[in-house]
């Protein structure tokens, strides 16, 4: 049973930085595509960044150039380094291990970590 636990959220001033971590418990982390999503108040959950099993990344337009996703397969952890934060980055951030039906992997989500950026 895969579980994801996010940490690193908090309150930061605009222009500041935060680093989110997502600890993966279970097997086959190195075979999982991982991602960060966020849900702002009153909005739908949206993709922030993804990283595949060989380290190829992609980012949502609003965070490109400011956020960096990375993974450490030895530690079974995925990170999101957030810089130049803006008030509009305020949201609950969720870690995701993507489904891969051909490999028997279900979509898995963490409980979320709150990021609040003050102006």
């Amino acid at each position: 049973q895969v579980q994801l636990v996010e940490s690193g959220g908090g309150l930061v001033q605009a222009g500041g930085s935060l680093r989110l971590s997502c600890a993966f418990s279970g097997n086959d982390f190195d075979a999982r595509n991982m991602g960060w999503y966020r849900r702002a108040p009153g909005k739908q959950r949206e993709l922030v960044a993804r990283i595949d099993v060989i380290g190829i990344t992609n980012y949502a337009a609003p965070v490109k150039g400011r956020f960096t996703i990375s993974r450490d397969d030895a530690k079974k952890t995925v990170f999101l380094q957030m810089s130049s934060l803006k008030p509009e980055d305020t949201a609950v951030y969720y870690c995701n291990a993507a489904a891969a039906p051909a490999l028997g992997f279900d979509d898995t989500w963490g409980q979320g970590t709150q990021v609040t950026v003050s102006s």
Side-chain angles (χ1 to χ4, degrees):
Q1 184 76 12
V2 170
Q3 289 187 323
L4 304 175
V5 178
E6 302 98 334
S7 61
L11 174 63
V12 63
Q13 288 189 331
S17 299
L18 281 175
R19 189 192 197 205
L20 305 184
S21 299
C22 171
F24 178 106
S25 63
N27 296 323
D28 299 318
F29 175 76
D30 55 356
R32 303 297 297 267
N33 295 329
M34 301 295 296
W36 286 96
Y37 290 73
R38 67 186 182 187
R39 179 180 281 136
K43 296 187 177 181
Q44 291 188 328
R45 186 166 56 193
E46 63 178 3
L47 172 70
V48 175
R50 287 186 293 216
I51 184 166
D52 72 8
V53 296
I54 60 171
I56 295 174
T57 59
N58 68 290
Y59 298 90
V63 308
K64 197 171 292 186
R66 301 188 296 121
F67 291 11
T68 302
I69 188 171
S70 61
R71 64 190 295 160
D72 185 331
D73 286 354
K75 295 182 179 179
K76 294 186 179 180
T77 303
V78 63
F79 303 98
L80 185 68
Q81 178 67 48
M82 306 185 293
S83 302
S84 301
L85 282 161
K86 304 175 181 179
E88 52 263 44
D89 294 317
T90 295
V92 178
Y93 284 70
Y94 298 91
C95 181
N96 171 258
L103 299 176
F105 297 152
D106 295 327
D107 213 24
T108 305
W109 296 90
Q111 82 289 350
T113 186
Q114 176 71 47
V115 172
T116 303
V117 184
S118 63
S119 58

